[in-house]
């Protein structure tokens, strides 16, 4: 079914077609995700010499970006179902903060950490981040793109652009990409079906012939796993060495010129209505709805 | 629970709680774990061929989330880092500078004052000429040496402990796990063989949910280091099992509630300023304010267990204290950024439990290290951990087991011979006078302080539950019986605590919220970053005998609850507990007005290990 | 060669969405500000006919990709099609609406054409000849104005910043752009769209009002009992009568996973705020919800806000809402439903 002009992606496709008759091998699920400030914190922008940042950024407690976290739990869930699978977490952030983050994440699910020491700021350019992450993925020993699924969040709580996963995929030559995923169902032959969120609370249902693919997750369907000390102990044995050898990388704002960053005042002059009957309130609300 | 099959994990040393004491222990211990050539000095007994497997389990969601602006002389801490300037290492730490102790006048006239206190009021008012012209207050012209913090450091314990934790983790020599509540020790007879983590995947009553049940793992280790603080579940279970040593008691407590605020631009206080207050809003309440760099301050109050009002509430009193002109002049126009509360063990060395047993040791505040004369605890807790580490290293080097006898001969011996113990013994009776009132208490502390513990005031100590007065007694002469009864009935109907209503009836003005510094109790909870606790854990505050609660008139647990997590339930029913709001301060435990029938030294409130709590590391 | 290329796509019925029409208005506006011209590229089934419906928009050219391969949304084929359009049009600035289809594929097209890309743009301005864009960072907490010197520059714009374009249909000057779709693009096959049943659909982006239900609905009420089924009835009744969209706070949604008594028609999809959505309804009514910051940030684009809460000191009362009614939501909503008939 290939056309005469085959590009690199087409060759991969042919190889995959040949493999389709084999029993499914274990997957390599690489999750891209990093820390964001704990949503419960107050965030204030500051302007460092050239770029915006957050006030006291190093001090802010951080969590694994929520959608990336969902994708990590989904990855672990999928890896359990497909024998021989392995989960990697590729994370770009300041080393000390990644270490702190691991204390809360490493007890959740088994994974192998690939740490890159650099900025986790939302103000960095997505393309620079994507190039850095893609390079780290390519460098994973034993990486086999025919078995590779790249997971991550469909957007982050920091940059919230919703483009980084696609750019990583492009760098890796992966053209099957899904954004806003809530479900993956894997078949025995390696093909899978996916539900992606689209407008109006609906889902787009697709099937894909198999890896490689990029899945940028929304919330998925799994609850956050409880902390498991055995998982933590096993993970941590490799997390610390991974952090110790984390390569420092400069990830900047690319071609962005930031002119202004502000926290617009949200304060309204609230009118408080009390000691008034439900009837009166209801009438006022209905008038407002209709008006 | 014995029918539940639990997974087991083994470690060489397990630590419960990561606070200053465990930080001191692990810092000192890890310095001895590698030989000069970088290879491990000791081999693990549970994983042969590997270095020692050392685990620390901390309940809070992050090790930096405790509540904690402090000023400390940091003598022992500094000794652990002779080559470092801690004010440069610990974020936002600053050298202690200008110190003030201020006696605040009851400028609103709503405070409840003993004759002794009124005498003190008069003395200070009369002597104001010599004590600086401050609004509605008098500053002591001279601070007694035992209260001074010169040479010390103003810092956040959260920042300090986070810094230590990061260093420890990056060494790879220990693993520190937050978000992991430990519910109890694991006994074999009187020997402690490990700890049990809290069950997950259970309903609020602790019943397993078949789909999600994850029984708490048992972590076995030859040595369990218990540094879980004054209200930690493991420490208190050990106290239940072994009792307290003869003559010791834990009758004295306080709840410290504090906020971190952004000072207004007009504020002239320099970083390092240390302010302590007494006398307001009630004679029993002490306050503090420590100024950090970048126009930030940590401030708050302590409400002690010898303040016998059943409606002693901390947050409303904190708001009144903030508005006292002496304080308000510095903070008006500022913004509250963070908040929290914690229980303090104020019995000091008199509250010391058995420090050792077969397989376990106690360190830190839960082991009675608080110096109740100098009002310090962080430095002392740290040092108890250091002393333990020295003892443990000694035993490791001699390859001796962690029996009670060995731990006594190494850790306890060091502790008893150390300056730490000498200071704690001198301080032992410094607070005794407060059992009989503010005036006697001040005299007692002064006497103990000026004579270095040689002379002390004596008094009879009672458990807090025996001290709490009835509502009628508390408000006699201030609120009529009818008004009191009506207010109680209305609050029961509205399912609200009594404190604000009764304080207003007693003459306190309503708090005018501005949403910046003064806000509702629910809003300030969010400032502490507290919105949720991980699901799947049981309620960690329960009432041992609900029938006792049904007839309780004081319900001090509701009034003292720092987070309004304990609230009135149905009329005639025990209070209700919302685990998602609880900040784990433990004040309910020692504020309950009903003694536990089985052990009158304890109360009807049971406080276990649970998930959640404060979520801000700005503290 | 136009200065701006606007990329559109058709829906499965061949029509252009409201967001697409708004992006036309944005393009017309920007083009005027830049003093330049714009072209339009349309991808999807019936793309040519769709171009005709907007023939009068002022575009100097319409490029169309109408292959079978782009009849349904799919990253690989859409990215290829968008890439071809960008290369064909040669514009330095590429605009598109932030629909799910374009959000998915435009980053790929940007990569392949060496373009910069920014998304969730809420405002565009030209100052001293420089194009400046505004977008929110950290989930509607920090508003930033930025520009880029590098070109091409792809900008995905949010809905609601311009009214939908209205104008004459006609016969557009169309050029079909040939795109080579191969087996690579066939690896993913669209099966269809799954929608909840009409009466179970609670997310209505086009509704005039967002109704947010907070955790208070599922807590014990003044009589000490839970009233979950009453809450359900009242909330669903309101949604139906008012034609409102349903949002929730994180705490209510989390309760679902905690095994607590729940409102069965709500899910994570309804969640508004820090880790949920940021809806854009003109009016929002919050009920039984405290209004804490992580939730309230999701209200950034709701213009008129009212809340019903028992607590006069809740977050809504501290400047986050226009009106707060201190009342029992069960009673008020029951009455409201009666009045709405």
């Amino acid at each position: 079914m290939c056309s005469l002009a085959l590009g690199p992606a087409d060759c991969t496709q042919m190889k995959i077609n040949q493999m389709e008759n084999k029993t499914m091998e274990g997957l390599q699920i690489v999750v891209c995700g990093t820390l964001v400030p704990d949503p419960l914190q107050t965030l204030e922008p500051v302007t460092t010499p050239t770029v915006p940042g957050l006030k006291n950024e190093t001090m802010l407690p951080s969590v694994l970006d929520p959608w990336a976290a969902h994708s990590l739990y989904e990855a672990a869930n999928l890896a359990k179902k497909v024998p021989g699978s392995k989960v990697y977490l590729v994370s770009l952030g300041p080393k000390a903060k990644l270490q702190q983050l691991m204390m809360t994440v490493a007890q959740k699910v088994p994974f192998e950490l690939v740490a890159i020491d650099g900025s986790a700021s939302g103000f960095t350019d997505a393309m620079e981040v994507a190039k850095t992450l893609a390079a780290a993925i390519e460098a994973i020993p034993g990486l086999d793109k025919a078995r590779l699924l790249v997971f991550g969040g469909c957007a982050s709580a920091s940059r919230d652009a919703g483009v980084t996963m696609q750019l990583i995929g492009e760098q890796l030559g992966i053209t099957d990409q899904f954004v806003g995923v809530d479900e993956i169902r894997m078949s025995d032959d390696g093909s899978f079906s996916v539900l992606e969120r689209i407008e109006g609370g609906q889902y787009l249902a697709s099937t894909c012939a198999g890896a490689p693919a990029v899945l940028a997750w929304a919330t998925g369907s799994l609850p956050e796993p409880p902390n498991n000390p055995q998982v933590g102990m096993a993970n941590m044995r490799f997390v610390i060495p991974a952090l110790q050898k984390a390569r420092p990388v400069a990830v900047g704002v690319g071609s962005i010129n930031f002119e202004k960053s502000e926290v617009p005042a949200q304060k309204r002059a609230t009118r408080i209505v009390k000691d008034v009957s439900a009837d009166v309130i209801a009438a006022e609300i209905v008038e407002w709805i209709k008006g | 629970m014995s029918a539940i099959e639990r997974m087991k994990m083994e470690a060489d040393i397990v630590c419960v709680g990561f606070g200053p004491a465990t930080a001191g222990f692990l810092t000192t211990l890890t310095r001895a774990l590698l030989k000069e050539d970088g290879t491990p000095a000791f081999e693990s007994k549970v994983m042969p061929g590997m270095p020692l497997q050392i685990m620390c389990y901390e309940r809070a969601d992050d090790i930096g989330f405790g509540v904690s602006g402090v000023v400390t002389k940091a003598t022992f801490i500094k000794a652990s880092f002779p080559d470092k300037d801690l004010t440069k290492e610990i974020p936002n730490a600053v050298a202690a500078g200008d110190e003030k102790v201020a006696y605040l006048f009851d400028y609103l006239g709503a405070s409840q004052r003993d004759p002794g206190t009124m005498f003190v009021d008069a003395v200070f008012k009369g002597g104001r000429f010599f004590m600086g012209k401050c609004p509605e207050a008098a500053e002591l012209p001279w601070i007694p040496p035992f209260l001074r913090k010169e040479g010390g450091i103003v810092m956040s314990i959260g920042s300090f402990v986070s810094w230590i934790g990061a260093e420890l983790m990056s060494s790879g020599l220990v693993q520190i796990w937050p978000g992991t509540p430990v519910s109890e020790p694991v006994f074999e007879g009187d020997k402690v063989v490990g700890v049990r983590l809290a069950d997950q995947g259970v309903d609020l009553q602790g019943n397993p949910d078949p789909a999600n049940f994850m029984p708490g793992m048992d972590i076995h280790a030859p040595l369990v280091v218990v540094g879980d603080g004054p209200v930690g579940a493991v420490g208190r279970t050990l106290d239940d099992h072994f009792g307290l040593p003869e003559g010791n008691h834990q009758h004295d407590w306080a709840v410290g509630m504090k906020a971190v605020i952004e000072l207004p631009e007009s504020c002239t206080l320099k970083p390092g300023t240390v302010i302590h207050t007494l006398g307001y809003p009630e004679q029993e309440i002490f306050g503090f304010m420590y100024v950090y760099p970048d126009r930030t301050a940590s401030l708050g109050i302590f409400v002690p267990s010898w303040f016998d009002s059943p409606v002693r509430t901390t947050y409303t009193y904190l708001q009144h204290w903030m508005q006292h002109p002496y304080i308000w002049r510095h903070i008006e126009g500022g913004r509250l950024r963070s908040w929290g509360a914690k229980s303090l063990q104020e019995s000091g060395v008199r509250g010391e439990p058995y420090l050792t047993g077969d397989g376990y040791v106690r360190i830190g505040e839960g082991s009675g290290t608080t110096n109740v004369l100098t009002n310090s605890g962080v430095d002392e807790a740290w040092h108890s951990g250091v002393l333990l580490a020295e003892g443990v290293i000694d035993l490791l080097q001699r390859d001796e087991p962690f029996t009670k006898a060995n731990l006594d001969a190494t850790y306890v011996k060091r502790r008893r011979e150390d300056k730490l113990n000498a200071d704690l013994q001198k301080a032992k009776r410094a607070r005794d006078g407060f059992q009989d009132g503010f005036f006697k208490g001040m005299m007692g502390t002064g006497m103990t302080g000026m004579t270095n513990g040689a002379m002390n005031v004596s008094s009879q100590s009672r458990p807090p539950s025996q001290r709490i007065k009835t509502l009628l007694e508390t408000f006699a002469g201030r609120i009529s019986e009818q008004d009191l009864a009506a207010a109680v009935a209305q609050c029961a109907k509205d399912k609200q605590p009594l404190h604000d209503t009764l304080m207003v009836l007693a003459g306190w003005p309503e708090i005018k919220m501005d949403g910046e510094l003064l806000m509702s109790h629910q809003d300030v909870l969010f400032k502490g970053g507290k919105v949720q606790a991980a699901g799947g854990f049981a309620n960690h505050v329960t009432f041992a005998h609900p029938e006792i609660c049904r007839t309780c008139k004081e319900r001090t647990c509701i009034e003292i609850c720092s987070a309004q997590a304990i609230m009135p339930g149905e009329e005639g029913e025990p209070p209700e507990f919302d685990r998602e709001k609880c900040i784990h301060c433990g004040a309910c435990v020692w504020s309950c007005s009903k003694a536990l029938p089985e052990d009158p030294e304890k109360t009807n409130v049971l406080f276990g290990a649970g998930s959640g709590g404060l979520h801000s590391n700005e503290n | 060669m136009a200065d701006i290329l606007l990329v559109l796509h058709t829906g499965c019925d061949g029509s252009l969405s409201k967001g697409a029409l708004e992006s036309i208005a944005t393009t017309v506006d920007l083009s005027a500000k830049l003093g330049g011209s714009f072209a339009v590229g349309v991808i999807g089934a019936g793309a040519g006919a769709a171009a005709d419906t907007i023939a009068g928009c002022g575009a100097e050219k319409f490029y169309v990709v109408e292959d079978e391969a782009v009849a349904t949304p799919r990253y690989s084929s859409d990215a290829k099609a968008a890439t071809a359009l960008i290369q064909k049009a040669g514009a330095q600035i590429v605009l598109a609406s932030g629909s799910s289809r374009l959000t998915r594929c435009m980053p790929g097209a940007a990569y392949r054409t060496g373009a910069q890309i920014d998304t969730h743009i809420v405002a565009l301005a030209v100052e001293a000849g420089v194009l400046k864009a505004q977008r929110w960072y950290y989930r509607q907490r920090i508003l930033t104005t930025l520009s880029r010197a590098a070109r091409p520059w792809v900008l995905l714009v949010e809905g609601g910043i311009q009214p939908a374009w209205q104008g004459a249909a006609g016969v557009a000057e169309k050029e079909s752009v040939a795109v080579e779709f191969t087996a690579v693009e066939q690896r993913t096959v669209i099966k269809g769209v799954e929608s909840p049943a009409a009466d179970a659909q609670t997310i209505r982006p086009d509704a005039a009002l967002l109704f947010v239900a907070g955790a208070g609905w599922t807590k014990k009420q003044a009589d000490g009992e839970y009233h979950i089924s009453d809450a359900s009835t009242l909330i669903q009744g309101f949604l139906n009568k008012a034609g409102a969209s349903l949002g929730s706070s994180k705490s209510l949604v989390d309760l679902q996973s905690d095994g607590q008594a729940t409102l069965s028609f709500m899910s994570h999809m309804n969640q508004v705020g820090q880790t949920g959505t940021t809806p854009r309804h003109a009016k929002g009514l919050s009920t039984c919800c405290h209004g804490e910051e992580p939730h309230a940030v999701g209200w950034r684009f709701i213009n008129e806000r009212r809340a019903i809460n028992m607590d006069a000191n809740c977050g809504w009362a501290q400047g986050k809402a226009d009106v707060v009614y201190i009342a029992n939501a069960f009673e008020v909503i029951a009455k409201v439903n009666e009045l709405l008939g």
Side-chain angles (χ1 to χ4, degrees), chain A residues 23-66:
Chain A
T23 3
M24 192 187 165
E25 288 178 74
L27 295 164
Q28 293 177 340
I29 312 176
V30 175
V31 179
C32 299
T34 188
L35 49 108
V36 295
D38 184 338
L40 303 169
Q41 304 305 313
T42 304
L43 303 181
E44 285 173 48
V46 291
T47 310
T48 62
T50 42
V51 303
L54 296 176
K55 194 167 179 198
N56 286 328
E57 189 157 4
T58 45
M59 292 296 295
L60 290 169
S62 48
V63 298
L64 182 59
D65 180 67

Side-chain angles (χ1 to χ4, degrees), chain C residues 167-208:
Chain C
V171 176
E173 196 189 319
K174 300 181 282 282
E175 182 180 326
S176 210
V177 176
V179 182
E180 185 107 52
F181 294 107
T182 67
V184 170
E185 282 78 47
Q186 313 284 329
R187 297 191 75 239
T188 294
V189 174
I190 306 308
K191 291 299 183 201
V193 170
E194 285 184 16
S195 328
D199 59 351
Q201 175 53 285
T202 57
I203 297 171
R204 302 177 180 133
D206 294 333

Side-chain angles (χ1 to χ4, degrees), chain A residues 40 59 99 107 226-227 229-230, chain B residues 7 166 170 179-180 197 200 617:
Chain A
L40 303 169
M59 292 296 295
Q99 177 183 277
Q107 285 202 85
N227 284 343
Q230 244 165 9
Chain B
M7 290 178 68
S170 64
T180 311
L197 306 184
Q200 295 182 71
N617 73 346

Side-chain angles (χ1 to χ4, degrees), chain C residues 136-154:
Chain C
W136 292 88
Y137 280 84
Y138 290 92
R139 299 288 291 169
Q140 289 75 44
R141 293 194 184 207
I142 297 175
L143 181 62
T144 301
T145 307
L146 55 88
S147 61
R148 289 190 192 251
R151 294 288 184 272
W153 188 10
V154 176

Side-chain angles (χ1 to χ4, degrees), chain B residues 578-598:
Chain B
D578 184 346
R579 60 177 286 270
E580 300 220 330
K581 290 186 178 168
C582 177
I583 61 170
H584 301 258
C585 78
C588 48
V589 176
W590 47 266
S591 293
C592 171
S593 58
K594 301 296 178 222
L596 190 67
E598 299 89 311

